[in-house]
Amino acid sequence: EDPYVQSVMLAAEHDNLLVELQLIKQVLEATQWSLYDMLESERMVVTRLCLLTDMALFRVLTHPSIHVVMPQLCMAFQHVAKLLLWPTEKHGQSARSFMMSGLMADDGYLLYLNKPLLLQGTPTTWLPRIAEAISAELRVGVVNAIEHSERE
């Protein structure tokens, strides 16, 4: 074995330090598995979250500012560069909810929602609503394109 590891092990044996370190390791492993289970349960609720790494998902779920987590949120939707948002609070208060008017695709295409969408609460509450709103707008666009092509 590595002499450095041996010297650390010998030093740790004094005053039951090794036993305490092993207990701490067990607590850290249990915490890690609990966090992993929590992230997986969030992914089960909102399937789009499967596209995010554990660290990105943790940041989305725990950070109070939607603007800080915007890159991670855009990763949850393919080819989305930016969500078009504005805060609902006024007079310098910290924004806890936002209105979404549309999104910008990574190729510059802008998709505006017929009706702005209120994003309030946790991402697991409003991410599915964003996905539904985008799908609804795309369906309307496809139907309009088909009707327009049939008239010509």
Side-chain angles (χ1 to χ4, degrees):
E1 275 191 30
D2 184 0
Y4 179 74
V5 172
Q6 287 178 348
S7 64
V8 169
M9 296 297 282
L10 285 173
E13 287 177 4
H14 295 290
D15 299 326
N16 288 332
L17 185 59
L18 183 60
V19 173
E20 289 179 32
L21 288 174
Q22 289 171 337
L23 290 174
I24 291 171
K25 179 183 176 212
Q26 289 174 349
V27 170
L28 288 174
E29 286 175 350
T31 304
Q32 180 181 3
W33 282 109
S34 295
L35 177 61
Y36 176 78
D37 290 342
M38 186 269 302
L39 294 175
E40 285 306 306
S41 67
E42 294 294 337
R43 285 184 175 107
M44 296 299 286
V45 173
V46 184
T47 55
R48 292 230 171 238
L49 297 177
C50 290
L51 300 172
L52 301 179
T53 65
D54 286 348
M55 194 63 207
L57 177 56
F58 186 74
R59 182 173 289 145
V60 166
L61 295 175
T62 59
H63 206 283
S65 171
I66 195 168
H67 295 292
V68 172
V69 298
M70 182 72 72
Q72 287 84 10
L73 292 175
C74 290
M75 279 189 269
F77 297 93
Q78 293 177 338
H79 307 294
V80 172
K82 183 178 181 183
L83 302 176
L84 306 177
L85 306 171
W86 72 90
T88 57
E89 281 92 10
K90 298 193 184 333
H91 308 297
Q93 296 176 349
S94 176
R96 296 288 181 220
S97 62
F98 291 84
M99 295 299 287
M100 178 180 154
S101 60
L103 59 91
M104 178 186 292
D106 54 10
D107 64 357
Y109 178 78
L110 291 172
L111 174 69
Y112 291 102
L113 302 178
N114 251 347
K115 181 180 172 188
L117 185 63
L118 177 64
L119 307 181
Q120 190 172 19
T122 64
T124 52
T125 4
W126 46 261
L127 274 172
R129 294 177 47 225
I130 291 176
E132 291 168 16
I134 292 170
S135 295
E137 293 298 327
L138 291 175
R139 276 192 300 274
V140 167
V142 168
V143 167
N144 288 342
I146 291 171
E147 288 174 355
H148 180 71
S149 68
E150 287 175 350
R151 281 187 241 142
E152 291 180 356

